[in-house]
Amino acid sequence: RTRNEVLFFPSKMACINHIFAPSSPQLCFCPLPHGVETSFSRLLRCILSASSSLDLCVFSFSNMDLSRAVLTLYSRGVTIRVLTDKDYAAITGTQIGVLRKAGICVRCDVDSVYMHHKFSVVDNRLLITGSLNWTRTAVQSNMENVIVTEDPDLVRPFIKEFQKLWLHNDPA
Amino acid sequence: RTRNEVLFFPSKMACINHIFAPSSPQLCFCPLPHGVETSFSRLLRCILSASSSLDLCVFSFSNMDLSRAVLTLYSRGVTIRVLTDKDYAAITGTQIGVLRKAGICVRCDVDSVYMHHKFSVVDNRLLITGSLNWTRTAVQSNMENVIVTEDPDLVRPFIKEFQKLWLHNDPA
Ligand SMILES: [Zn+2]
Ligand SMILES: [Zn+2]
């Protein structure tokens, strides 16, 4: 059966530290609830399931937990490509500079008015897409949706579109 | 086979007048290309395929062609429900007032920071969702995506979420 899941936001707040280190014992003393599954923890798990590649195409990226997820994947040797909007790459609180400094390959859309996508593809197999920018407000305060699917009819066009945009915005 | 389609934007520009009156002869003398299928014409066709209901949940709605589509459905007796963001319902160029004046039922989200969804459900059967706000800029200038699907695993959660938001924002 093809994996198909819809997540709605705002997400409840809960500790997500254990998701980053599933194998080590869970001793966290932060004030957030523990052992609670939320839309955001589901989203993080999907992203952190990447074992070979993560292609991310997102308008606005300032969420520090999501940045931590991308950096974690990078430290595990996962190939990361980030495509973002040229204007929003420079705003306050953006994580784009952090990713770049870590060595992650980032390209900015230079042509369109807004590069307004909010999708990612995990291991060329799992599509994560919807209305949700990778910001704290989107996760914690807005009404948002995210579709997580392995349906090839949906995943394939996004892989193709990412490739097109990536090549088109070649910094060379 | 379940219907699954992905549309990418910006859309090419082409005349869309014939889509509103498919049965009458196509005599249009506007300067746009004719007989060209585009992402936007596909989107319009999906929306105009509604025969019983259209539930629309969209952050920003200023596109006059999409407004015309909703008004056309309304004139055909299709039940329309529009849920939008309270702040964006009042901005310049919004079509929300036009829809309200025509008699269409509109509710505004009052709780969250942004009601940032951009989805609609046609006849409780077809889901149209993605990054695309119902604005001219989104259609003509931005990089955007829209998924059109009849997969019940995806459609059902959105129907449920719409119902929840609709009841929660009861104006009474
Ligand atoms: Zn904790
Ligand atoms: Zn014409």
Side-chain angles (χ1 to χ4, degrees):
Chain A
R1 191 182 165 83
T2 305
R3 178 171 177 182
N4 266 327
E5 188 176 355
V6 185
L7 307 173
F8 290 102
F9 294 81
S11 177
K12 290 203 179 82
M13 296 282 288
C15 179
I16 42 88
N17 285 328
H18 60 290
I19 299 173
F20 288 90
S23 54
S24 45
Q26 296 172 30
L27 286 171
C28 182
F29 301 98
C30 83
L32 291 171
H34 289 83
V36 181
E37 194 74 304
T38 67
S39 298
F40 188 58
S41 67
R42 292 288 309 140
L43 175 64
L44 274 177
R45 279 182 207 281
C46 291
I47 295 161
L48 285 166
S49 74
S51 62
S52 62
S53 67
L54 176 75
D55 289 332
L56 172 62
C57 189
V58 68
F59 176 56
S60 178
F61 188 167
S62 59
N63 186 297
M64 292 185 69
D65 293 324
L66 288 166
S67 176
R68 180 179 170 197
V70 173
L71 293 168
T72 300
L73 291 176
Y74 186 64
S75 74
R76 289 177 191 164
V78 172
T79 303
I80 315 261
R81 298 188 292 181
V82 178
L83 193 60
T84 191
D85 187 78
K86 64 181 177 313
D87 299 322
Y88 271 68
I91 61 162
T92 313
T94 182
Q95 289 294 307
I96 296 298
V98 176
L99 302 182
R100 272 211 166 111
K101 266 172 216 152
I104 292 170
C105 204
V106 177
R107 293 187 183 176
C108 289
D109 174 70
V110 291
D111 279 351
S112 60
V113 173
Y114 281 134
M115 201 302 295
H116 202 239
H117 289 301
K118 306 102 171 43
F119 74 85
S120 58
V121 180
V122 171
D123 294 343
N124 280 310
R125 184 188 38 80
L126 181 72
L127 170 68
I128 302 169
T129 188
S131 66
L132 186 97
N133 281 302
W134 284 29
T135 66
R136 204 178 64 160
T137 304
V139 169
Q140 294 183 3
S141 307
N142 290 354
M143 298 286 182
E144 307 270 7
N145 64 78
V146 169
I147 287 175
V148 179
T149 181
E150 287 182 336
D151 191 324
D153 289 349
L154 298 177
V155 182
R156 253 187 276 108
F158 279 91
I159 290 175
K160 210 176 139 192
E161 185 73 3
F162 185 90
Q163 196 64 14
K164 196 186 93 181
L165 296 177
W166 187 256
L167 294 176
H168 183 74
N169 293 291
D170 192 333
Chain B
R1 193 183 165 82
T2 305
R3 180 173 178 180
N4 266 327
E5 189 176 354
V6 185
L7 307 173
F8 290 102
F9 294 81
S11 178
K12 289 204 180 82
M13 295 281 289
C15 179
I16 44 89
N17 285 326
H18 60 289
I19 300 174
F20 288 90
S23 53
S24 47
Q26 295 172 32
L27 287 171
C28 182
F29 301 98
C30 83
L32 291 171
H34 291 82
V36 182
E37 194 74 304
T38 65
S39 298
F40 188 57
S41 67
R42 293 290 310 142
L43 175 65
L44 274 178
R45 278 181 207 283
C46 292
I47 294 160
L48 285 166
S49 75
S51 61
S52 62
S53 67
L54 176 74
D55 289 332
L56 172 62
C57 189
V58 68
F59 176 55
S60 178
F61 188 167
S62 60
N63 186 297
M64 294 186 68
D65 294 323
L66 288 166
S67 175
R68 181 180 169 197
V70 173
L71 293 167
T72 300
L73 291 176
Y74 186 64
S75 74
R76 289 178 191 165
V78 172
T79 304
I80 316 260
R81 298 188 292 182
V82 178
L83 192 61
T84 191
D85 187 78
K86 65 181 177 313
D87 300 321
Y88 270 69
I91 60 160
T92 314
T94 181
Q95 289 294 308
I96 296 299
V98 177
L99 302 181
R100 273 212 166 108
K101 266 172 213 149
I104 291 171
C105 205
V106 177
R107 295 187 182 175
C108 288
D109 174 70
V110 290
D111 278 352
S112 60
V113 172
Y114 281 134
M115 202 301 296
H116 202 241
H117 289 302
K118 308 104 174 35
F119 74 85
S120 58
V121 180
V122 171
D123 295 343
N124 280 309
R125 183 188 40 81
L126 182 71
L127 170 68
I128 302 169
T129 188
S131 66
L132 187 95
N133 280 302
W134 284 29
T135 66
R136 204 178 64 159
T137 304
V139 169
Q140 295 183 4
S141 307
N142 291 353
M143 298 287 182
E144 306 269 7
N145 65 78
V146 169
I147 288 175
V148 179
T149 180
E150 288 183 337
D151 190 324
D153 290 346
L154 298 176
V155 183
R156 253 187 275 108
F158 279 92
I159 290 176
K160 210 175 141 193
E161 185 73 4
F162 186 89
Q163 196 63 16
K164 197 187 93 181
L165 296 178
W166 187 256
L167 295 175
H168 183 74
N169 293 291
D170 193 334

